[in-house]
Amino acid sequence: MSEAERIGLYGGTFNPPHMGHERLAKACLEALELDRLLLIPTAQPPHKQLPPGSAQGVQRAEMARLMARRIPKAQVCGLELERSGPSYTRDTVDRLRQIYPEAEFWLIMGADMFLSFHKWREPEQIAKQCRLAVAARLPDSRRQLERQAEFLRQELGVCSRIVDCPVTVLSSTQVRSHIPRGRWKGELAPEVAQYIQRQGLYQADPLEPLRREAKARMSEKRYRHTLGVAETAARLAERFGEDVYQAQTAALLHDLTKALDYEEQLKLCGQYGIITDYGENGKALLHADTAAALARREFGVSEEAAQAIAYHTTGAPGMTQLDKIVYLADCIEPGREYPGVDKLRRLCKKDLDQAMIFSLRQSIEHIQSKGGRPYWRTQRALEDFLAKKETGS
Ligand code: ATP
């Protein structure tokens, strides 16, 4: 009896496809001894919005095709682009199973996707049809991948394999921001770079207007801090599978109104209908709400990013992963120096909830040591994280 065909399924936005994608594909092809590799451009990823200035689906498919020509046995599969609505892997795998009833499927992904796999739609159903192949996106994340592989095995019966692949610290978000400055060398295959140039893609960095705005509204020192927060938020978002563009957007705007005095803050509150119960803490805290309102109304940022801005100083119960990333990036960006910051940086690499507990505790103790009263939401945020830790949820 002949062996089942081994097929790698590699989905992505490919906006644009870069050398990190190509190296992962080639490493999997070899390590898994694949007979066929399907590159599957996503129409609408369920976990992130396509940022402004993105390439169209047909253009992303064409770039994936150009990459496929560089990879033996690779071809582009247009299934997801043909469907409308969010591209759920579950649906794609079901359809591919009809086309290849006997094949052995390997679902290929980077660490960020693997670490959030249990949050995908019906992951246990996907796991019945496919094994997972994952590679690190950052040099020091192997342990984290091993822990997740064990967790997925126990909880969802997932069979996974960590593939040895040269780590390429690179994302499409980074590439897009390098293209307008011509700094994409080594990040893109020449064929893809040529296509981008011919089509005039990605010529404007969508974050540039936000950077300009931030720079105009703050001191040199605060602007440096802001860039540090944006860079750190991007790294954390990549590590934990969060939307990098949203994380950078929120980070770039988080301190937009911090330089304003209290009177001006109150004026903005009146203008945007902001009501708070900060009391004596108002002077220190209002800027988060006014920046969130400005980001929402003047810059049209998503509700998720606006909330992350609003919570960046106090935290809140029920924080989303994006909220945590922006809060923690603000605490650990490279310019921060205070006792405990290195420990917090280490925690941020492993577990965002543990890092939040550490940081919220520090913040509460710091306020109390100065005779102040921490805002109730910070206390509630801490209780919320501690309760989650206890129940393991
Ligand atoms: P963006 O920056 O726009 O969020 P991205 O670089 O993460 O994009 P995607 O097309 O969303 O690229 O990624 C598709 C798949 O490829 C995902 O599973 C992702 O984890 C993986 N991947 C992307 N970049 C790398 C890389 N540098 N190394 C390994 N895997 C990667």
Side-chain angles (χ1 to χ4, degrees), residues 10-21 23-24 42 45 47-51 108-114 120 135-138 165-176 238 242-245:
Y10 185 13
T13 21
F14 302 126
N15 185 26
H18 52 69
M19 292 314 288
H21 293 126
R23 287 188 193 121
L24 174 58
T42 304
H47 67 292
K48 64 184 174 191
Q49 294 173 3
L50 288 178
I108 297 170
M109 64 190 79
D112 52 330
M113 292 294 101
F114 186 65
W120 293 19
R137 291 188 65 166
L138 295 166
C165 171
V167 174
T168 307
V169 184
L170 187 62
S171 65
S172 296
T173 305
Q174 276 171 287
V175 178
R176 286 194 301 273
E238 267 161 27
E242 191 49 64
D243 187 322
V244 178
Y245 174 73

Side-chain angles (χ1 to χ4, degrees), residues 4 6 8 54 89 97 104 150 153 195 204 237 288 290 371-372 393:
R6 275 195 195 175
S54 288
T89 301
R97 182 50 80 205
E104 179 180 316
E150 186 52 25
R153 191 184 64 76
Y195 179 84
T290 52
S393 63

Side-chain angles (χ1 to χ4, degrees), residues 371-383:
R373 195 145 44 99
Y375 181 52
W376 65 267
R377 216 163 58 191
T378 307
Q379 191 66 48
R380 284 279 311 282
L382 176 59
E383 286 160 14

Side-chain angles (χ1 to χ4, degrees), residues 13-275:
T13 21
F14 302 126
N15 185 26
H18 52 69
M19 292 314 288
H21 293 126
E22 188 173 318
R23 287 188 193 121
L24 174 58
K26 285 179 172 164
C28 287
L29 193 76
E30 207 164 292
L32 309 171
E33 298 180 50
L34 299 175
D35 301 302
R36 190 194 294 265
L37 173 63
L38 300 181
L39 302 175
I40 313 174
T42 304
Q44 172 59 57
H47 67 292
K48 64 184 174 191
Q49 294 173 3
L50 288 178
S54 288
Q56 303 293 320
V58 277
Q59 294 170 316
R60 291 186 287 109
E62 186 51 34
M63 290 188 280
R65 215 162 277 128
L66 292 169
M67 176 167 81
R69 285 204 205 137
R70 296 165 54 88
I71 307 167
K73 299 177 184 172
Q75 69 192 80
V76 170
C77 161
L79 267 184
E80 295 196 349
L81 289 173
E82 288 155 18
R83 273 200 320 258
S84 57
S87 310
Y88 292 109
T89 301
R90 166 74 218 267
D91 302 337
T92 309
V93 168
D94 278 355
R95 181 72 194 101
L96 286 170
R97 182 50 80 205
Q98 291 168 354
I99 303 172
Y100 303 102
E102 307 293 338
E104 179 180 316
F105 285 157
W106 282 88
L107 196 60
I108 297 170
M109 64 190 79
D112 52 330
M113 292 294 101
F114 186 65
L115 293 175
S116 59
F117 181 74
H118 51 287
K119 297 183 196 154
W120 293 19
R121 174 176 281 198
E122 300 183 81
E124 61 291 332
Q125 295 304 324
I126 300 174
K128 281 189 188 150
Q129 300 281 359
C130 312
R131 300 172 198 194
L132 268 49
V134 59
R137 291 188 65 166
L138 295 166
D140 54 354
S141 58
R142 182 145 187 133
R143 275 291 303 132
Q144 205 179 10
L145 295 183
E146 285 167 356
R147 274 201 303 271
Q148 174 73 351
E150 186 52 25
F151 168 78
L152 292 178
R153 191 184 64 76
Q154 283 182 9
E155 296 296 315
L156 303 170
V158 172
C159 168
S160 54
R161 171 157 168 194
I162 303 171
V163 174
D164 275 323
C165 171
V167 174
T168 307
V169 184
L170 187 62
S171 65
S172 296
T173 305
Q174 276 171 287
V175 178
R176 286 194 301 273
S177 76
H178 292 164
I179 289 170
R181 289 173 244 164
R183 290 206 334 242
W184 50 265
K185 272 224 159 53
E187 299 180 348
L188 290 170
E191 298 89 326
V192 174
Q194 268 166 22
Y195 179 84
I196 289 173
Q197 207 176 18
R198 274 204 315 274
Q199 296 276 318
L201 291 173
Y202 311 118
Q203 294 310 313
D205 177 355
L207 292 172
E208 194 47 38
L210 305 187
R211 274 189 216 103
R212 224 179 303 126
E213 199 65 37
K215 190 164 193 217
R217 291 177 189 244
M218 51 187 74
S219 67
E220 185 59 36
K221 187 169 168 218
R222 187 166 306 287
Y223 181 59
R224 259 204 315 277
H225 160 72
T226 296
L227 292 183
V229 178
E231 200 47 41
T232 309
R235 293 287 87 76
L236 289 175
E238 267 161 27
R239 182 178 285 271
F240 292 100
E242 191 49 64
D243 187 322
V244 178
Y245 174 73
Q246 296 295 333
Q248 283 180 307
T249 298
L252 284 172
L253 300 179
H254 81 286
D255 269 353
L256 206 57
T257 56
K258 194 147 186 190
L260 301 182
D261 64 26
Y262 192 45
E263 291 305 310
E264 288 168 311
Q265 298 282 358
L266 291 175
K267 223 158 99 189
L268 281 180
C269 288
Q271 195 176 327
Y272 292 120
I274 299 169
I275 300 167

